[in-house]
Amino acid sequence: MEIKQTILDKVNEWLSPNFDSVTQTAIREMMRSNPKELEESFYKNLEFGTGGMRGVMGVGTNRINKYTLGKNTQGLSNYLKKVFPGEALRVAIAYDCRHNSDTLAKVVADVFSANGIQVFLFSELRTTPELSFTVKHLNCHAGIVLTASHNPPEYNGYKVYWQDGGQLVPPQDGEIIELIEALNYDEIKFEANDNLIQYIGEEVDAAFHQSTIENASFKTTPAVAKENLKIVYTSLHGTSIKSIPTVLAQAGYTQVHIVKEQAEPNGDFPTVKSPNPEEPEALTMAMELAEATQADIVIGTDPDSDRLGVAVRNTEGKMILLNGNQTMIIMTAFLLEQWKRADKITGTEFVGSTIVSTPMMLELASAYGIECKVGLTGFKWIAKMIKDFPNQKFIGGGEESFGFMVGDAVRDKDAVGASLLVCEIAALAKASGSSLYQELLNLYVDFGCYKEHLISLTKKGIDGLAEINQMMIDLRENPVDEIDGQRVVCIDDYENSTSTNRITNEVEPIHIPKSNVLIYYLEDGSKICARPSGTEPKIKFYFSVNTTLDKVENFKAVEAELDQKIKNIIAAMHLN
């Protein structure tokens, strides 16, 4: 195949003496035997998305390697010096279980130290929420975690955190990216100043674990309830093994059964097809152990421990996986009730959610007389809410992609704190003769029965990106008037910052940052969202439908009705 000149120009730069012999040998081999892979490796620069920068590991500008991460770190170092002139700069660095995460973390630490910046580097793998906590705990100016979250084994990533412990948001992200893009590779300072690299571990762990227990456990649960709750837990070969067993034990939970085959951190994730607790298959071994131990609840986390999967027993005693919207609703309702009982709700509090998550969060917040702030996809936006509204108290928040955050000690989705919280709720429910699942059904009776569904279409490479872009163009330029017999009453276009009433043709502005997202609202309250992923080669379609539930006994029939409604919408949109 013929390789474009723009790509050859990049390739030739990487064959210069600024790059090591291993890199150059790999490039020459691709030129000889795999020009398609060469094109994929160099056709663009890796970009920051909703969860930082993620990509396949390898050589090239579109890959995760010492040079792309070195360039990021040099650009960030320059930015820190610009924003905090004359200050003694400090950064914290953590990494997960993925291949090369430890060596890439050391490269990042080297570059920071070479720029005169004090580095606090975890001596072993740690969770993403602990890194977020550490940034504030050690008074750092920024933080980095090397992780690709739940992506396949060939991926790695680079997430940047700011002083508040939250991920980068506009305008800082754009300003940093400009500095990175303006750099030449020969400007990267790789020679470490080892005197500026301090290894950290157990002392920070202890502070993080104590903070988690203070934020996510409640005295309403008697000790006997904790002792009676049977928990199955799996880290899916990831980092949460460093925190969750310790936190649960310190909080008083004695019946914790760990899936031993998945307890060892391993970047190959050998026992699962995908280390993503959103996918039921990932929790197969945990579910089997739950049956063997007659457990009440299953908890599974992704490799960097920001996502939490929860399975519980339904009214028939069968273990089922809850989705992210359901766990978010259960945890939010519990927190709100605890705050109400403690007489802590003044009307200035808020919970956080995202535009693709369940609208039921709005109903919950309204019932308790507080605000539900809704932002773009990604927990960095919920963290930004905390920073932007210092006079309002943040209670908790979540998003549909199995993420939740309790309080503001951690400023990213936190599977460590969420795991403890969901166990507290389950223990209290069991002690009162109920269950976590029963509590969910009670909420559906009180606030409306909501059902959500997600379809992810994977479109890899250059051709896949073009196909995703065309799908979004078609949805914008040729909007449908009705779906499954229901009129489209409103279209929110976050790229154009407009909300269009399809009945009156009135257009109102949307006052949150731009994003390539479209949401269709139907006259029966259904909601359909289309969004290209910011971290994976996918386009995602989110569906939310709802109706009333008069009593718990009718849930199965109502759920079947909502499932059918979702199937009809998918068929009408030709997505099946």
Side-chain angles (χ1 to χ4, degrees):
M1 61 175 287
E2 184 178 349
I3 301 173
K4 296 178 182 177
Q5 186 60 46
T6 53
I7 292 175
L8 288 175
D9 290 342
K10 289 184 177 181
V11 169
N12 287 330
E13 180 184 8
W14 280 59
L15 291 173
S16 72
N18 292 320
F19 297 82
D20 61 39
S21 60
V22 174
T23 297
Q24 294 186 37
T25 298
I27 292 172
R28 289 193 174 95
E29 178 60 26
M30 277 196 291
M31 293 177 73
R32 184 184 66 81
S33 62
N34 198 344
K36 178 63 176 175
E37 176 62 21
L38 185 77
E39 183 180 51
E40 292 285 352
S41 299
F42 282 94
Y43 83 94
K44 66 173 184 176
N45 294 344
L46 275 180
E47 299 171 348
F48 282 89
T50 53
M53 177 181 284
R54 292 183 208 166
V56 174
M57 289 178 279
V59 300
T61 59
N62 190 34
R63 295 289 184 258
I64 294 288
N65 53 65
K66 66 177 287 188
Y67 297 103
T68 53
L69 297 194
K71 193 174 181 182
N72 285 352
T73 307
Q74 184 63 54
L76 180 56
S77 298
N78 295 347
Y79 185 78
L80 288 169
K81 291 180 178 181
K82 177 181 176 182
V83 174
F84 303 107
E87 291 192 30
L89 298 173
R90 299 156 64 94
V91 300
I93 303 173
Y95 58 91
D96 71 3
C97 60
R98 289 179 177 274
H99 297 305
N100 305 313
S101 280
D102 53 350
T103 55
L104 289 171
K106 182 57 166 63
V107 168
V108 171
D110 289 348
V111 175
F112 277 130
S113 69
N115 282 276
I117 297 172
Q118 175 71 54
V119 177
F120 299 94
L121 173 63
F122 277 100
S123 57
E124 295 180 306
L125 75 171
R126 289 298 190 278
T127 67
T128 287
E130 183 165 348
L131 184 278
S132 173
F133 169 85
T134 301
V135 170
K136 288 195 299 175
H137 180 67
L138 296 181
N139 297 313
C140 293
H141 295 80
I144 303 291
V145 61
L146 279 296
T147 177
S149 188
H150 59 284
N151 284 54
E154 64 269 21
Y155 279 76
N156 215 317
Y158 181 94
K159 293 171 74 170
V160 184
Y161 292 78
W162 205 240
Q163 282 181 300
D164 65 327
Q167 289 186 57
L168 285 179
V169 292
Q172 289 167 325
D173 55 357
E175 293 169 353
I176 292 170
I177 289 168
E178 279 187 22
L179 286 178
I180 293 169
E181 292 298 326
L183 282 172
N184 294 319
Y185 285 99
D186 60 5
E187 297 177 74
I188 304 170
K189 298 177 182 178
F190 282 115
E191 296 300 320
N193 179 348
D194 290 329
N195 294 327
L196 291 177
I197 300 176
Q198 178 179 335
Y199 288 91
I200 58 175
E202 292 181 0
E203 289 186 8
V204 178
D205 293 343
F208 172 61
H209 297 159
Q210 182 61 36
S211 173
T212 299
I213 292 169
E214 290 173 358
N215 278 288
S217 62
F218 294 84
K219 295 177 181 179
T220 53
T221 304
V224 67
K226 295 180 179 181
E227 293 168 2
N228 286 339
L229 186 71
K230 295 180 180 179
I231 304 165
V232 164
Y233 155 72
T234 176
S235 62
L236 296 178
H237 304 289
T239 60
S240 69
I241 198 71
K242 293 287 187 179
S243 287
I244 288 179
T246 301
V247 166
L248 290 177
Q250 290 181 0
Y253 292 91
T254 57
Q255 296 200 62
V256 180
H257 303 274
I258 298 174
V259 180
K260 294 179 181 179
E261 299 89 338
Q262 298 176 329
E264 186 69 26
N266 189 329
D268 288 324
F269 312 112
T271 65
V272 292
K273 189 175 180 180
S274 169
N276 186 356
E278 288 182 274
E279 300 174 11
E281 186 181 357
L283 298 182
T284 298
M285 296 181 77
M287 300 284 254
E288 291 171 353
L289 183 57
E291 293 305 326
T293 59
Q294 286 301 294
D296 301 298
I297 186 170
V298 167
I299 293 170
T301 59
D302 69 343
D304 69 323
S305 190
D306 60 358
R307 294 185 181 215
L308 169 72
V310 176
V312 296
R313 296 195 182 276
N314 65 11
T315 52
E316 298 169 350
K318 180 183 178 182
M319 190 66 73
I320 62 168
L321 179 64
L322 301 178
N323 64 43
N325 287 297
Q326 291 172 320
T327 54
M328 169 171 54
I329 287 300
I330 292 168
M331 289 188 276
T332 301
F334 179 81
L335 288 174
L336 290 173
E337 186 62 24
Q338 296 303 309
W339 278 59
K340 180 181 178 182
R341 290 180 183 180
D343 200 28
K344 291 165 59 178
I345 292 182
T346 65
T348 60
E349 297 75 25
F350 74 97
V351 293
S353 186
T354 69
I355 58 176
V356 301
S357 300
T358 178
M360 192 172 170
M361 286 288 284
L362 299 168
E363 299 296 328
L364 275 176
S366 176
Y368 282 86
I370 67 164
E371 182 183 2
C372 177
K373 297 183 187 294
V374 179
L376 295 176
T377 304
F379 251 74
K380 62 185 180 184
W381 302 109
I382 295 179
K384 187 176 186 294
M385 295 170 189
I386 300 172
K387 185 165 60 173
D388 288 349
F389 298 93
N391 296 324
Q392 289 183 262
K393 183 65 177 176
F394 176 73
I395 295 175
E399 63 179 359
E400 59 77 37
S401 61
F402 286 53
F404 198 82
M405 182 166 66
V406 188
D408 61 3
V410 169
R411 301 290 177 92
D412 204 347
K413 51 180 176 269
D414 175 9
V416 181
S419 292
L420 177 56
L421 176 60
V422 80
C423 286
E424 293 281 312
I425 303 168
L428 183 60
K430 184 177 182 180
S432 64
S434 181
S435 69
L436 204 67
Y437 190 76
Q438 183 68 42
E439 294 304 303
L440 174 64
L441 299 189
N442 292 340
L443 292 171
Y444 285 154
V445 172
D446 292 341
F447 300 101
C449 190
Y450 286 75
K451 191 71 185 284
E452 279 76 31
H453 183 69
L454 169 66
I455 290 179
S456 292
L457 304 179
T458 300
K459 309 285 184 181
K460 293 185 177 181
I462 301 172
D463 295 338
L465 179 62
E467 191 174 348
I468 289 172
N469 290 339
Q470 189 57 52
M471 291 175 77
M472 293 301 292
I473 289 170
D474 291 341
L475 286 168
R476 281 193 173 88
E477 296 183 354
N478 305 294
V480 295
D481 294 321
E482 71 171 37
I483 299 173
D484 187 34
Q486 296 289 326
R487 286 188 303 173
V488 176
V489 296
C490 183
I491 299 178
D492 287 350
D493 187 340
Y494 288 84
E495 188 167 76
N496 297 325
S497 301
T498 58
S499 178
T500 303
N501 185 316
R502 297 297 302 283
I503 308 302
T504 65
N505 290 322
E506 294 179 354
V507 179
E508 295 184 358
I510 294 175
H511 298 292
I512 65 175
K514 293 180 182 294
S515 183
N516 189 14
V517 181
L518 272 174
I519 299 181
Y520 283 31
Y521 296 91
L522 309 187
E523 59 185 331
D524 65 353
S526 299
K527 171 183 166 186
I528 302 130
C529 172
R531 181 184 76 90
S533 172
T535 54
E536 301 173 90
K538 294 179 178 180
I539 181 169
K540 297 185 176 184
F541 292 88
Y542 306 79
F543 306 90
S544 177
V545 296
N546 67 88
T547 188
T548 57
L549 178 63
D550 58 348
K551 54 184 178 180
V552 166
E553 290 76 13
N554 292 335
F555 174 69
K556 288 187 74 173
V558 170
E559 183 182 38
E561 173 190 324
L562 293 178
D563 283 338
Q564 188 59 52
K565 183 181 286 190
I566 289 172
K567 288 178 182 177
N568 293 343
I569 292 172
I570 292 171
M573 296 182 68
H574 307 290
L575 293 174
N576 51 358

